[in-house]
Amino acid sequence: MALYSIYPKEVFYEYAYNWSDFHQWGYRDGVVTRNADDYCAGQTYLDLYRINQDPNCIRKVKANLDMLVNTPQDDDWWWIDAVQMGMPVFAKLGATLDEPKYWDKMWDMYEDCRNKISGTGLFNQEDGLWWRDADFIPPYQEPNGEDCYWSRGNGWVYAALVRVLSEIPKDEKHYKDYVSDYMLMTKAIVKCQREDGFWNVSLHDPENYGGKEVTGTSLFLYGLAWGVNNGLLSYEKYGPFITKAWTSIVKDAIHPNGFLGYVQGTGKEPKDGQPVTFQSMPDFEDYGIGCFLLAGVEVYKMKQYE
């Protein structure tokens, strides 16, 4: 859908529409699911609704989020991937229907993940990075003694902040809080970029399965380029990080036939989905293409800085 926004080729729309229709505009575990991995699909349903205005596209999205809004639990997002899977659906539906109640619940669930899970929350503000879930909060540490900050997990949160800030108005009560977290992460992320433009799967331990990896790199690139395009980051300061990452992915990760290499497979930490190589085919690769397309679309929009 991001690619369609800059290159509205009919086959892209048809692919997304047919995929959504096949799943009956619903979720794996139905409209009563509380699992953000399930209702992440609502992001696409909402994008399609904005084009075709067919209320059937979002009937189940609304039913599901209304259930979440009207129940008191806020602790569903106990792992950081869920922030990206869940938050943008709330942000998009709130913007689509002009209903701030969805943004209020979104903040309550985000704040619980950020500050309360396991008593500490999963966001280490001192480092500007997130532990993947409670299993990785210290005393857990990487082989070099550092905290474990998984690249793709942090990339998901960074992308979530971008997708939320793209939807909510600047006078929304927590807009500045999201911007603050985005800036904290930005400063931490650029410190971790490798000389070759990629990011390691373990952001603070480059020796623990160190090497090129595309999903985390693409999500960081997406967030950085979006920040420049939307005036939160200066091109002069952050352009070199963006150029280095994009150039490296295109040069080192893409096969002549379009296959994307260096994609870490499913998991939750550096050791999962290894080895990550130019030739390796991950067990579930389509999110890798998605991360790359999100990044590519934002880099394309930066042509004004050329």
Side-chain angles (χ1 to χ4, degrees):
M1 295 308 298
L3 182 57
Y4 183 80
S5 74
I6 63 165
Y7 186 43
K9 195 174 181 180
E10 191 65 17
V11 67
F12 299 153
Y13 176 85
E14 290 174 353
Y15 179 92
Y17 187 93
N18 291 337
W19 176 83
S20 302
D21 201 48
F22 176 82
H23 294 291
Q24 300 179 330
W25 307 90
Y27 305 134
R28 175 178 56 183
D29 294 317
V31 294
V32 297
T33 184
R34 302 191 70 92
N35 186 332
D37 284 349
D38 290 349
Y39 59 85
C40 177
Q43 297 187 47
T44 300
Y45 303 157
L46 281 154
D47 286 342
L48 291 166
Y49 170 76
R50 290 174 174 180
I51 296 170
N52 62 36
Q53 292 296 298
D54 179 356
N56 185 60
C57 295
I58 62 167
R59 181 179 65 82
K60 292 176 181 176
V61 177
K62 185 176 185 304
N64 175 254
L65 292 200
D66 283 345
M67 179 269 293
L68 294 172
V69 166
N70 292 324
T71 51
Q73 300 97 307
D74 294 326
D75 59 356
D76 295 306
W77 300 345
W78 53 265
W79 76 110
I80 59 174
D81 310 38
V83 175
Q84 146 60 19
M85 305 307 152
M87 277 184 81
V89 187
F90 283 86
K92 283 175 174 283
L93 188 63
T96 301
L97 302 182
D98 193 21
E99 274 285 3
K101 68 180 182 181
Y102 299 111
W103 301 331
D104 293 341
K105 185 66 173 182
M106 173 178 71
W107 170 260
D108 290 342
M109 296 174 77
Y110 174 72
E111 197 266 340
D112 192 282
C113 177
R114 183 187 190 279
N115 299 336
K116 298 177 184 177
I117 293 292
S118 293
T120 64
L122 299 179
F123 187 41
N124 185 347
Q125 296 181 59
E126 184 177 340
D127 285 345
L129 296 168
W130 296 68
W131 299 296
R132 195 269 178 180
D133 58 52
D135 291 343
F136 297 95
I137 294 174
Y140 187 93
Q141 62 183 28
E142 290 285 76
N144 70 348
E146 290 280 339
D147 282 18
C148 180
Y149 298 122
W150 181 43
S151 179
R152 187 164 70 236
N154 277 273
W156 285 136
V157 178
Y158 200 48
L161 292 169
V162 161
R163 294 172 76 75
V164 167
L165 291 169
S166 298
E167 296 287 340
I168 62 175
K170 291 183 179 179
D171 61 356
E172 198 275 334
K173 65 182 73 171
H174 293 293
Y175 181 89
K176 291 180 180 178
D177 296 311
Y178 297 128
V179 170
S180 176
D181 286 355
Y182 169 82
M183 294 303 298
L184 278 174
M185 290 195 72
T186 297
K187 292 171 184 176
I189 286 163
V190 296
K191 290 178 183 177
C192 301
Q193 189 178 33
R194 292 158 49 104
E195 278 300 312
D196 62 9
F198 288 88
W199 276 264
N200 290 298
V201 292
S202 181
L203 295 177
H204 277 197
D205 188 348
E207 301 303 318
N208 190 25
Y209 297 97
K212 302 170 184 177
E213 201 285 311
V214 160
T215 62
T217 297
S218 292
L219 291 167
F220 296 144
L221 174 57
Y222 168 52
L224 290 169
W226 179 89
V228 170
N229 287 332
N230 288 273
L232 290 181
L233 305 179
S234 73
Y235 176 74
E236 290 71 26
K237 182 174 181 178
Y238 292 96
F241 299 100
I242 294 166
T243 299
K244 186 188 290 187
W246 177 249
T247 303
S248 298
I249 293 175
V250 172
K251 173 177 169 286
D252 296 343
I254 302 177
H255 290 233
N257 68 355
F259 179 84
L260 194 62
Y262 297 111
V263 171
Q264 185 183 19
T266 55
K268 64 177 186 177
E269 59 182 305
K271 72 178 183 181
D272 293 328
Q274 296 289 345
V276 176
T277 68
F278 181 64
Q279 300 288 351
S280 61
M281 182 176 292
D283 56 343
F284 197 92
E285 77 287 350
D286 57 354
Y287 56 77
I289 300 298
C291 297
F292 173 71
L293 290 177
L294 287 173
V297 168
E298 287 300 322
V299 170
Y300 176 83
K301 292 176 183 177
M302 291 182 64
K303 62 183 183 295
Q304 61 181 300
Y305 296 100
E306 292 177 354

